[in-house]
Amino acid sequence: MAAHIRRRLRKGATTTAVAAAAVAALAASQAPAATLADGSAGSGDPKAAGEDTASGETDGAATGNSPYYTDLPPLVTPDKPGSSSDLPAAGSAEAGIPASILAAYKQAERTVATTDPSCRLPWQLLAAIGKVESGQARGGRVDANGTASPRILGPALNGQGFALIKDTDGGAYDGDAVHDRAVGPMQFIPSTWASWGQDANGDGRKDPNNIYDAALAAGRYLCANDRDLALAADLDQAVLSYNRSTEYLRTVRSWFSYYQRGTHEIPDGTGTLPSTPSTPTPSPRPGGGSGSSATPSPNPSPSKPGGKPSPGPSKPGGGGSTSPVPKPPTPKPTPPSETFGSLENAGTGPLRATAGQEFDERVSVLARNAVGAPLAKVPVTFTVTGGTGTLFAGGKKTVTVRTGTDGTATAPKLQAGEKAGEFTVTAVAGTGRPRTLTYAATVTARQADAIARTDEKALVAGPGEKFADAVTVKATYKDAAAAGVAVTATMVKDPLGVIDNDKGPYFKDAQGKPVRTLTTLTTDADGQLRLPEIFADDNEGTYLLRLTTEGGASVVIELTVRAPEETTPEEPAPDATKTPAATRP
């Protein structure tokens, strides 16, 4: 760690003196305010500026090396060095920073200072990049939430004079499903935004067109790889990682120094756009020349080895031997208002129902376009998956519904199957990169809140005999007959049914063997259940049968096993009217 700190101190000491000299020369020469890190000037190669190749940063740039504005700051210093940025509105609109844009930069600086204090991110660096990338969000043309209106989009990165970056977001951010475009005030390409996007304004969305979200994302991106932006070399690396051009670095550096010397706040929407966009040109050789790493302009005329350049195609009627080759039409990007962006839950509550019943809740989704507004006429396919037998109304497992003007689509009602368990409902929308939402749902078994015998006749059997009277019960739910309710019958020892009994009455299974618990019983359409025959063993006594329903209702029924009482015939009483034979005369 100590060696690392000494290395950074040596880097800082070397570059600080150079930067100070360049700042003094800026007002007179309009040159960049601070020199580039050693070895970077004019090379066009990020490696020469100390770029960390081990980190993989050289594989891409935040902006995809899109064009940028090359206008330099005014020659007149806005205020003396070290002055506050909180100056009254004065001076040219070009020199000022729109209020919402300035607030976003300062908020990002404070946030990063809390989460990554060793980076020492200055808001003036964000302001410099924002100026070069988008002219401070087109002069501060943002809404009350800080979102650019209309969206800020760079050209299609189709390899025609720019880098070739095929679509990575399905057009969700840039409205282009063929090639990527840089998006928003800080001009992030969609693939970079997917990794670095932030929600700095607390609205629950990471929006590259929102200056608060974009400024914080840019700050964290610049601080990557443990950079200390107070060191010139680390700052150069950070800026080059944003757009890999030394011309870009010089321009950003110029505005950075300008804003460090002071600026002023202007109302949103009153700023001016810079006038000179960059024009990427091919480098004469890898890592050399102008420093632009963009793809060469299309259709160059190649030279033959040792010869003159080959002639281009002849104009029509010009007598040339070749005919013009028509260019394929450039795909027209879908407008953001028509581009499918996201699929969200539109407030669907818990999905629960009793077997055979209709679900009270319906599955509902919300489709949004690329800028977050509700999107109408989007087909959404809902599918039921699982083994409960649940179906949509009409007996269908799959239905397709289009979103309405409010962007919502609601599936038909669900009809629970007869089997208890869990299942899922899946909503899918969009082509190319479909968006999917999955909802968990549950079917519970039919329930009863009461169960009772249908008569009160005593149930008695002799040892080894069958009970002559059948046991019949009725289950109800909210005083209505509960059909299809599962019932468990168990011979127990205690009135609460806690202890099972292994003696006394019993049922018979399919093989005729005694069993004292049945779990396959179900009430009929009238909520009634007639139990199978009950047999007594040789043990006399009073026994208990407990019936329990799904839902917790129960009843305990007494079963008595006793031998029939023996009776002896009575002798007839003597007839008083008759005289005993011994006493007869």
Side-chain angles (χ1 to χ4, degrees):
M1 175 62 74
H4 176 70
I5 294 174
R6 287 196 297 272
R7 177 178 61 81
R8 285 191 170 241
L9 288 175
R10 287 198 298 273
K11 287 169 64 181
T14 301
T15 56
T16 300
V18 178
V23 168
L26 175 65
S29 66
Q30 192 61 79
T35 61
L36 310 180
D38 292 344
S40 66
S43 71
D45 186 359
K47 295 178 182 179
E51 191 68 15
D52 184 3
T53 56
S55 69
E57 288 183 346
T58 55
D59 293 338
T63 65
N65 294 325
S66 293
Y68 52 89
Y69 291 106
T70 59
D71 300 50
L72 295 173
L75 290 174
V76 178
T77 301
D79 201 64
K80 62 183 180 180
S83 66
S84 169
S85 65
D86 300 319
L87 301 176
S92 69
E94 181 185 13
I97 300 177
S100 294
I101 312 305
L102 181 59
Y105 295 150
K106 289 185 176 181
Q107 176 178 298
E109 179 191 60
R110 291 192 299 269
T111 301
V112 173
T114 301
T115 59
D116 189 6
S118 62
C119 174
R120 295 191 283 182
L121 169 73
W123 68 260
Q124 292 91 341
L125 178 59
L126 296 175
I129 290 176
K131 180 69 174 179
V132 173
E133 289 294 348
S134 68
Q136 309 297 17
R138 290 180 176 149
R141 286 163 177 79
V142 295
D143 62 19
N145 296 319
T147 301
S149 180
R151 292 193 305 172
I152 301 173
L153 295 175
L157 298 175
N158 56 12
Q160 304 297 307
F162 310 112
L164 174 60
I165 303 179
K166 294 184 179 181
D167 173 65
T168 60
D169 67 329
Y173 292 120
D174 56 13
D176 190 335
V178 180
H179 297 96
D180 272 348
R181 297 168 180 253
V183 182
M186 306 304 281
Q187 288 289 278
F188 280 96
I189 55 174
S191 58
T192 304
W193 184 258
S195 299
W196 292 91
Q198 303 289 315
D199 175 19
N201 63 350
D203 65 353
R205 297 182 61 221
K206 298 177 181 179
D207 185 359
N209 276 287
N210 182 275
I211 185 58
Y212 291 94
D213 294 358
L216 181 57
R220 296 199 188 285
Y221 182 88
L222 294 167
C223 287
N225 299 308
D226 298 322
R227 295 191 187 103
D228 179 356
L229 299 181
L231 302 179
D234 280 11
L235 190 144
D236 286 353
Q237 291 176 10
V239 175
L240 285 169
S241 75
Y242 215 87
N243 191 310
R244 301 190 182 285
S245 162
T246 51
E247 179 64 29
Y248 178 83
L249 176 58
R250 291 191 188 96
T251 309
V252 169
R253 276 287 203 167
S254 297
W255 282 103
F256 176 49
S257 292
Y258 182 83
Y259 289 136
Q260 281 184 314
R261 293 195 303 280
T263 185
H264 59 276
E265 180 183 297
I266 60 175
D268 287 349
T270 62
T272 59
L273 271 177
S275 59
T276 311
S278 65
T279 303
T281 56
S283 299
R285 61 182 183 278
S290 66
S292 173
S293 60
T295 304
S297 58
N299 301 326
S301 298
S303 298
K304 297 180 180 179
K308 296 180 180 180
S310 300
S314 301
K315 296 180 181 178
S321 60
T322 59
S323 300
V325 179
K327 292 184 178 179
T330 302
K332 185 178 180 180
T334 305
S337 60
E338 300 176 10
T339 301
F340 182 44
S342 63
L343 190 67
E344 305 169 8
N345 185 353
T348 306
L351 297 169
R352 299 190 187 96
T354 302
Q357 302 299 311
E358 194 176 68
F359 281 74
D360 293 331
E361 196 74 19
R362 296 170 67 180
V363 178
S364 185
V365 299
L366 170 62
R368 295 184 184 276
N369 62 18
V371 294
L375 186 60
K377 299 182 180 179
V378 175
V380 182
T381 300
F382 299 92
T383 303
V384 174
T385 304
T388 64
T390 300
L391 299 170
F392 289 112
K396 297 180 179 180
K397 296 188 70 173
T398 300
V399 294
T400 299
V401 180
R402 287 184 177 270
T403 58
T405 55
D406 61 352
T408 63
T410 302
K413 282 197 171 184
L414 289 163
Q415 181 71 34
E418 290 298 332
K419 185 175 181 180
E422 295 184 351
F423 68 97
T424 60
V425 178
T426 303
V428 180
T431 57
R433 295 182 61 198
R435 277 65 165 178
T436 302
L437 287 178
T438 300
Y439 299 81
T442 303
V443 175
T444 58
R446 295 174 184 262
Q447 298 181 0
D449 54 17
I451 186 170
R453 286 188 66 192
T454 58
D455 61 58
E456 297 181 357
K457 189 175 182 179
L459 299 168
V460 181
E465 296 183 358
K466 180 176 70 174
F467 284 80
D469 297 308
V471 177
T472 303
V473 295
K474 182 175 182 178
T476 57
Y477 182 72
K478 296 181 179 180
D479 297 328
V485 175
V487 179
T488 298
T490 306
M491 301 296 176
V492 295
K493 290 183 179 180
D494 61 303
L496 296 178
V498 176
I499 304 173
D500 293 353
N501 204 340
D502 57 356
K503 294 181 179 180
Y506 61 88
F507 302 103
K508 288 184 179 181
D509 63 13
Q511 287 75 36
K513 295 180 180 179
V515 292
R516 290 184 168 83
T517 297
L518 296 178
T519 59
T520 58
L521 306 174
T522 306
T523 59
D524 62 17
D526 298 322
Q528 293 192 8
L529 170 65
R530 181 185 176 94
L531 268 63
E533 293 179 324
I534 302 174
F535 301 86
D537 63 8
D538 295 333
N539 297 289
E540 296 188 23
T542 299
Y543 298 90
L544 302 177
L545 167 64
R546 185 171 188 260
L547 302 178
T548 306
T549 71
E550 188 73 35
S554 65
V555 63
V556 176
I557 301 170
E558 285 191 357
L559 301 172
T560 302
V561 179
R562 67 170 178 239
E565 295 181 359
E566 294 185 4
T567 57
T568 56
E570 296 182 359
E571 294 182 1
D575 189 348
T577 61
K578 294 182 178 181
T579 303
T583 61
R584 291 177 184 173

